[in-house]
Amino acid sequence: MYSEKVMDHFEHPRNVGEIEGASGVGTVGNAKCGDIMRIYFDIDDNQIIQDVKFKTFGCGAAVATSSMATELVKGKSVQEALEVTNKAVMEALDGLPPVKVHCSLLAEEAIHAALWDYAQKNGIKIEGLEKPKSDIGEEEVEEEY
C-alpha cells in the first residue's frame, strides 16, 4: 500500500519539532480526517529557508508528507518553496494511495501558510502567493494520481 520512502519518512521523520521565534509558521488541517500540520521556517535576510521543522497530528501518510515537504524546501529560496506542489511531494515519496492524496495537499498548503505568515510579519508580498485556507478538504484534491 505504501512505498518504501513513505514508510521511511513515517518511521524516521526528518525535521520534527518547532523553531523558537520562527520567521514563518503555517498551520493547516483537514476537519474530515482530523489531520493537523504545522510547519516552521527560519528564513534569512536573503529569503533562503535556513531551517524548517514540523509537527503533525495525523496518520502515517500525513507524517511522511510533512517530513518530505520539509526536505524539499530546506535550503531553498522563498520563491522556490512556493513552487513545491503536492504532486512534487507525492513524486518524491514514490506515490501515495488515492485515499491519502489529501495529505500531500496539506503539506503544500502548510508551506504556503508559513510563507504567508513570513510575508505578513515582514510586510512583503511574495509573487504568486495567495492567502492559504486553514481547512483543506478532499474536494480540492485534483483527480490526477
Side-chain angles (χ1 to χ4, degrees), residues 15-117:
N15 309 305
V16 175
E18 44 190 290
I19 297 173
E20 215 41 57
S23 308
V25 180
T27 305
V28 295
N30 181 315
K32 228 180 224 172
C33 70
D35 291 347
I36 299 170
M37 199 175 285
R38 180 171 289 155
I39 290 188
Y40 302 81
F41 286 156
D42 177 21
I43 301 171
D44 69 16
D45 294 338
N46 296 317
Q47 295 193 342
I48 302 297
I49 299 169
Q50 292 298 321
D51 197 13
V52 56
K53 300 277 186 213
F54 81 91
K55 283 185 154 183
T56 292
F57 176 83
C59 65
V63 172
T65 56
S66 301
S67 174
M68 180 55 82
T70 62
E71 290 287 275
L72 292 174
V73 300
K74 196 177 217 175
K76 299 282 196 288
S77 72
V78 163
Q79 205 59 51
E80 289 169 319
L82 181 60
E83 293 165 17
V84 172
T85 63
N86 72 305
K87 196 171 178 189
V89 173
M90 284 196 306
E91 285 172 2
L93 287 168
D94 294 335
L96 285 172
V99 296
K100 295 297 181 180
V101 170
H102 69 276
C103 295
S104 64
L105 197 66
L106 274 176
E108 177 184 335
E109 285 299 317
I111 291 168
H112 291 181
L115 290 172
W116 182 266
D117 184 50

Side-chain angles (χ1 to χ4, degrees), residues 29-33 102 105-106 109 133-142:
N30 181 315
K32 228 180 224 172
C33 70
H102 69 276
L105 197 66
L106 274 176
E109 285 299 317
K133 302 175 182 86
S134 57
D135 182 25
I136 311 304
E138 264 85 293
E139 66 279 356
E140 290 150 50
V141 176
E142 290 180 29

